[in-house]
Amino acid sequence: MVDVTPHGADLIPPAEVGEMELYHPHSWWTKYVFSQDAKVIAIQYSGTALAIGLVALVLSWLMRLQLGFPGTFDFITPEAYYQFMTMHGMIMVIYLLTALFLGGFGNYLIPLMVGARDMVFPYVNMLSYWIYLLAVLVLVASFFAPGGPTGAGWTLYPPQAILSGTPGGTGPGIILMLVSLILFIIGFTMGGLNYVVTVLQGRTRGMTLMRLPLTVWGIFTATVMALLAFPALFVACVMMLFDRAIGSSFFMPAIVEMGEQSPHNGGSPIMFQHLFWFFGHPEVYIVALPAFGIVSDLISTHARKNIFGYRMMVWAIVGIGALSFVVWAHHMYVSGMHPYFGFFFATTTLIIAVPTAIKVYNWVLTLWRGDIHLTIPMLFALAFIVTFVNGGLTGLFLGNVVVDVPLSDTMFVVAHFHMVMGVAPIMVVFGAVYHWYPKMTGRMLNEWMGRFHFWVTFIGAYLIFFPMHYVGLVGVPRRYPELGDTAFIPPSVHTLNEFITVAALTVGFAQLVFLFNLFWSIRHGKEAGDNPWRATTLEWQTAGTPPPHGNFGKELPVVYRWAYDYSVPGAAEDFIAQNDPGPATQGGPA
Amino acid sequence: MSAILIFLALVTAVAGWWLARQRLMSKPWLEAGPVNAFPETEASLLHPAKLGLGVFLAVVGALFALFISAYFMRMVYADWQAAPMPRLLWLNTGMLLLASVALQCAVVAAHKGQVDNLRLALLVGALTSVAFLGGQLLAWRDLAAGGYFAAENPAVSFFYLITAMHGLHIIGGLLVLGRTNVRAWRGERPAKLTLTTELCAMYWHVLLVVWLVLFAVLAGWAADFVDICRQLLS
Ligand code: HEM
Ligand SMILES: [Cu+2]
């Protein structure tokens, strides 16, 4: 029996929401700058993430120029190369992808998709963005600090990270990096609380958990994981800051540096690796799960077919989320651990492949005999599946201890992780932007620029990263600014390196076209209307496009069905919106 | 990493229990039509702020579990020398306990609508918490006076680091508790203060438990306890 107390009844979102309940901005500043509206915060998050992502992209060009044409560019010293590499990796993983998927898409889509007026704690949500911005600014500041940003690699392994041999190690570079990460985590936690509680408590009437679109499931699970994983990075950063700033010895062993005994004594670098990867592995899935969710919705919508195995998809998302907390040490096979531990972690790693494979099968089966529209979002979704499978296969190689040991720290690993966590999620980001841009602005992105962008990016990404697998198998190590005259490296590697660089620059150019398109289409794009893709989910059923403050006009929608009623036999149209009572209700409630 | 894994196991158990009640086995594609179950969203009846605080406390728990994990990992190295525990810590623990009890009284008073009791309890809660913080600072001074500085020995570094982290959380809570006090003393009705009082009490109870665990770890009892368990098992 459900205990129906009047106290509880107050908390169910009423169908009619009085004017007072919603926070209303009163000035231009609170409407567009210090806004508490999740949609504005989402755009702020996305804009900032894309801007800093552009920096990371330019850094990757500089690295590729050095690798393709070593010695040509005087200003790319080995130190500079390490700094570029570190900043590129860190920005791409954390400040771009994590911020964009959770802060950007999370903020925009969660309230709209669950049928809420806004996030549950709008003020905290606003703070979250401003702290994120502060974190980005601190990160940018490190480029201008004396000695430059840190060059410790995005993993920031001590002891080298805070020694004089590493760029930025004894200057402010590493300190700014650590402070920036700490700020990012604080900001993210504020946002994350919002995403979780909004999904749990902010759903409109009829929106049960099993009626949520998979996008929401993906973002929700990723947020829960991030809330539990980021503290590990936080702890690692704080302790490293102590080691660097006041000379404690959490991570730092006794070291003689340049003939001088450092103040440190007896610390454990391995401890840092445990903490870092306890965060670092879930981080891969923090980026991947929102991508999984979004791709499921893109495929279903653009193939006009219900998602295959919805329940299985939900279970797989939750299962992957839970499992990914017990596999972290597979990044440490080469740091000398007990072989039984290696075996345990290899097993859990390979087990994760099962739910992941289930997801891939379900996507393919959704496509099977679907009415596939090769729209730009669909193209990107397909590119994601292909790329993800590709990267997943090389991942199975690396998940085995015996195979990983020789390949560890070669360009093979670089190619692998760029496939799975670089190219694949970025494809989803693009697909999602093309899909939801019409909702955010009321206009479609330009079709021809979009197709150009897709084909150059997709083919280009393979031209960059396929040859890189070979380069790695031959034995070229990662994190080397140049190879010099190394006996085991055949000339073909040098030619390939030049080729990869040219491909990388071309792909980079295509991204500029994309950025141009984003701005151009705000004014010149085709009018989109409320529901250009004829999709079922609630964000397409708002009162006006872009959705007004409060999202849903006077009454919140009531949800009658799941999110995937496409091509239902006998229905008037080939989709039935989630808030459409439809003919199914005529015979009374199901 | 055992401490954090145990903590995560607890979180997973709660999440699993909750998920098990969410009809994850239902077949949404067969179930068009309004949902009749009450409440219609199947969301829990908790106030969002309480749930939000609960989630936040889980994050805080993970944070301290990770510090404890690091503490145990670092402890096995040769240069570890346990730090002396300032006796003052006992008094501080008492203060924090009082704060927790006071806030629980405040919750009761708020529910019963007793203005005076509510004000008093909130004030006592805030003051004892400030006393706790002051006591922690004095404990630091004791340690430093004994020649134990933060960089001297990892055990001492951990002591400063972990107590500082815990103190920062108390300070954060005091911001909210301070505001609640101001509102109460300015004459707001208890009914309007119930929620924020309940939130403060919940936060303080958890931070008290966290402190007790941290105290046990820092004083070395936790390690002894683990050792005894190990011997019993082997
Ligand atoms: C056009 C696209 C990209 C190009 C050309 C590119 C190129 C590179 C290069 C040359 C390196 C250094 C390899 C080495 O010397 O060890 C690197 C490292 C890295 N990249 Fe990318 N990258 C791209 C996109 C991305 C994306 C989207 C991500 C997001 C996950 C990413 C994440 C990383 C990471 C984590 C590292 C490792 C940094 C380190 O070793 O510390 N990259 N990338
Ligand atoms: Cu991993």
Side-chain angles (χ1 to χ4, degrees):
Chain A
M1 273 299 290
V2 189
D3 181 22
V4 188
T5 58
H7 172 65
D10 285 347
L11 296 171
I12 298 166
E16 299 238 2
V17 172
E19 280 303 292
M20 286 309 291
E21 287 200 19
L22 207 61
Y23 158 82
H24 283 296
H26 293 295
S27 71
W28 185 86
W29 281 97
T30 46
K31 199 163 174 188
Y32 294 108
V33 182
F34 297 103
S35 171
Q36 302 187 15
D37 186 326
K39 296 187 292 298
V40 179
I41 297 173
I43 291 170
Q44 291 173 325
Y45 249 114
S46 312
T48 313
L50 287 179
I52 192 72
L54 200 62
V55 173
L57 181 70
V58 172
L59 292 175
S60 80
W61 298 345
L62 294 175
M63 281 188 290
R64 277 318 316 179
L65 284 174
Q66 167 66 20
L67 291 176
F69 310 99
T72 321
F73 303 91
D74 286 338
F75 71 100
I76 311 183
T77 56
E79 287 78 27
Y81 183 88
Y82 289 132
Q83 293 172 324
F84 297 165
M85 181 190 82
T86 306
M87 286 296 153
H88 162 82
M90 195 65 100
I91 293 175
M92 284 289 189
V93 175
I94 294 185
Y95 297 84
L96 173 69
L97 286 179
T98 309
L100 194 57
F101 272 127
L102 303 181
F105 290 119
N107 264 315
Y108 202 86
L109 295 176
I110 289 177
L112 281 167
M113 282 187 154
V114 305
R117 301 240 173 237
D118 206 325
M119 289 287 182
V120 283
F121 315 120
Y123 181 74
V124 181
N125 205 18
M126 174 184 80
L127 280 187
S128 158
Y129 168 71
W130 291 100
I131 297 181
Y132 165 64
L133 182 67
L134 186 64
V136 169
L137 291 179
V138 172
L139 183 85
V140 171
S142 79
F143 281 98
F144 302 101
T150 172
W154 86 285
T155 46
L156 301 179
Y157 277 6
Q160 51 94 20
I162 55 177
L163 293 181
S164 59
T166 303
T170 45
I174 182 75
I175 294 190
L176 290 174
M177 179 81 252
L178 296 172
V179 170
S180 171
L181 284 172
I182 289 175
L183 286 171
F184 180 92
I185 295 166
I186 294 173
F188 169 76
T189 306
M190 295 183 157
L193 291 177
N194 261 298
Y195 317 151
V196 171
V197 179
T198 305
V199 171
L200 291 181
Q201 299 279 31
R203 283 170 283 135
T204 185
R205 302 171 150 215
M207 183 60 95
T208 61
L209 278 184
M210 290 309 268
R211 282 178 176 176
L212 287 173
L214 287 169
T215 299
V216 176
W217 267 109
I219 295 179
F220 172 70
T221 314
T223 307
V224 174
M225 293 172 63
L227 284 174
L228 294 171
F230 268 120
L233 183 64
F234 186 92
V235 168
C237 285
V238 170
M239 293 191 352
M240 183 125 91
L241 209 53
F242 260 57
D243 277 6
R244 167 71 179 72
I246 66 168
S248 58
S249 308
F250 290 120
F251 302 130
M252 297 297 285
I255 278 178
V256 177
E257 193 186 17
M258 309 267 194
E260 262 184 64
Q261 174 75 40
S262 81
H264 306 292
N265 194 359
S268 162
I270 295 287
M271 183 164 104
F272 180 89
Q273 297 190 14
H274 277 295
L275 289 171
F276 184 87
W277 287 114
F278 187 83
F279 143 79
H281 184 84
E283 169 64 24
V284 177
Y285 287 93
I286 291 165
V287 170
L289 289 183
F292 290 173
I294 291 174
V295 130
S296 311
D297 284 357
L298 294 188
I299 288 180
S300 175
T301 308
H302 294 270
R304 318 304 299 164
K305 221 183 119 193
N306 61 323
I307 192 80
F308 185 90
Y310 174 85
R311 280 194 301 175
M312 204 92 90
M313 295 297 244
V314 171
W315 298 343
I317 287 179
V318 176
I320 293 174
L323 272 178
S324 61
F325 275 97
V326 284
V327 297
W328 77 89
H330 64 205
H331 296 274
M332 299 164 59
Y333 288 153
V334 288
S335 63
M337 66 167 77
H338 193 288
Y340 282 142
F341 281 127
F343 178 72
F344 171 80
F345 285 110
T347 315
T348 49
T349 302
L350 296 182
I351 289 178
I352 284 208
V354 175
T356 315
I358 290 180
K359 298 198 75 78
V360 176
Y361 289 129
N362 284 351
W363 290 323
V364 175
L365 286 169
T366 304
L367 287 168
W368 174 250
R369 308 187 75 179
D371 174 13
I372 298 176
H373 296 260
L374 285 180
T375 55
I376 301 173
M378 183 58 143
L379 288 174
F380 275 110
L382 295 176
F384 163 81
I385 298 180
V386 176
T387 311
F388 188 74
V389 171
N390 225 305
L393 289 179
T394 48
L396 281 180
F397 287 40
L398 296 173
N400 286 290
V401 188
V402 261
V403 188
D404 183 49
V405 170
L407 284 179
S408 191
D409 278 329
T410 65
M411 285 311 254
F412 187 87
V413 174
V414 175
H416 155 72
F417 71 65
H418 274 90
M419 277 304 212
V420 241
M421 76 170 304
V423 180
I426 287 280
M427 291 289 163
V428 179
V429 167
F430 289 141
V433 170
Y434 283 93
H435 185 79
W436 278 294
Y437 183 90
K439 182 50 56 176
M440 300 168 88
T441 63
R443 292 181 186 263
M444 312 290 284
L445 279 164
N446 179 283
E447 180 83 14
W448 292 109
M449 278 194 257
R451 289 193 183 264
F452 172 81
H453 174 222
F454 169 74
W455 287 108
V456 176
T457 309
F458 177 56
I459 298 181
Y462 279 76
L463 293 182
I464 299 173
F465 294 111
F466 260 1
M468 208 183 274
H469 285 93
Y470 167 74
V471 170
L473 281 176
V474 175
V476 175
R478 78 187 268 207
R479 291 180 172 171
Y480 273 50
E482 63 189 298
L483 297 168
D485 294 321
T486 316
F488 66 87
I489 288 169
S492 64
V493 164
H494 299 291
T495 337
L496 273 181
N497 262 336
E498 288 176 21
F499 175 81
I500 296 177
T501 299
V502 174
L505 292 177
T506 317
V507 169
F509 168 72
Q511 308 319 307
L512 300 184
V513 174
F514 169 67
L515 281 182
F516 175 75
N517 195 356
L518 283 184
F519 288 106
W520 190 83
S521 300
I522 293 180
R523 292 189 166 264
H524 306 283
K526 218 171 62 188
E527 292 273 358
D530 277 345
N531 192 357
W533 309 116
R534 305 189 314 133
T536 56
T537 39
L538 290 182
E539 81 273 25
W540 301 104
Q541 330 297 338
T542 53
T545 302
H549 184 63
N551 293 348
F552 292 102
K554 229 176 159 184
E555 273 187 30
L556 284 175
V558 178
V559 169
Y560 294 95
R561 57 191 67 249
W562 71 330
Y564 300 98
D565 266 344
Y566 288 105
S567 309
V568 179
E573 290 203 70
D574 73 343
F575 74 102
I576 311 179
Q578 279 194 280
N579 58 347
D580 182 344
T585 52
Q586 277 166 6
Chain B
M1 303 295 280
S2 45
I4 180 67
L5 285 179
I6 292 172
F7 181 79
L8 278 189
L10 284 177
V11 172
T12 316
V14 174
W17 166 81
W18 173 80
L19 273 176
R21 307 174 25 160
Q22 297 300 316
R23 303 202 313 126
L24 288 194
M25 306 297 281
S26 64
K27 300 193 170 86
W29 52 94
L30 299 178
E31 298 178 352
V35 175
N36 286 328
F38 184 83
E40 289 156 312
T41 61
E42 297 185 349
S44 75
L45 299 178
L46 271 181
H47 191 283
K50 278 192 194 161
L51 187 70
L53 183 62
V55 177
F56 177 67
L57 287 172
V59 177
V60 172
L63 182 73
F64 284 104
L66 281 155
F67 273 118
I68 294 172
S69 284
Y71 186 90
F72 284 140
M73 268 193 277
R74 184 67 180 78
M75 205 169 151
V76 295
Y77 290 84
D79 64 329
W80 183 274
Q81 284 166 352
M85 285 291 111
R87 298 266 300 279
L88 195 56
L89 289 182
W90 287 102
L91 190 64
N92 296 350
T93 310
M95 283 295 156
L96 199 57
L97 189 70
L98 266 182
S100 218
V101 173
L103 289 179
Q104 192 56 42
C105 294
V107 171
V108 175
H111 278 294
K112 290 193 179 154
Q114 303 161 331
V115 185
D116 294 335
N117 287 355
L118 174 63
R119 287 181 180 172
L120 190 66
L122 285 174
L123 191 64
V124 171
L127 290 183
T128 41
S129 306
V130 172
F132 169 79
L133 287 176
Q136 296 288 78
L137 280 180
L138 287 181
W140 281 10
R141 225 191 46 187
D142 275 7
L143 265 188
Y148 294 94
F149 297 109
E152 208 67 11
N153 182 283
V156 185
S157 313
F158 265 115
F159 181 84
Y160 282 103
L161 176 61
I162 291 182
T163 48
M165 276 294 151
H166 182 262
L168 282 177
H169 281 83
I170 296 270
I171 291 177
L174 271 175
L175 292 181
V176 179
L177 184 56
R179 242 188 54 177
T180 313
N181 260 300
V182 171
R183 283 170 58 188
W185 287 90
R186 281 221 183 124
E188 211 159 304
R189 280 185 300 119
K192 285 199 146 187
L193 293 170
T194 317
L195 179 66
T196 157
T197 312
E198 282 177 348
L199 293 176
C200 285
M202 182 170 154
Y203 188 72
W204 251 261
H205 297 336
V206 173
L207 279 192
L208 172 67
V209 174
V210 167
W211 169 249
L212 293 177
V213 174
L214 291 178
F215 194 18
V217 168
L218 291 172
W221 304 316
D224 295 344
F225 178 71
V226 172
D227 275 348
I228 293 172
C229 291
R230 236 183 238 142
Q231 274 171 3
L232 285 182
L233 283 179
S234 62

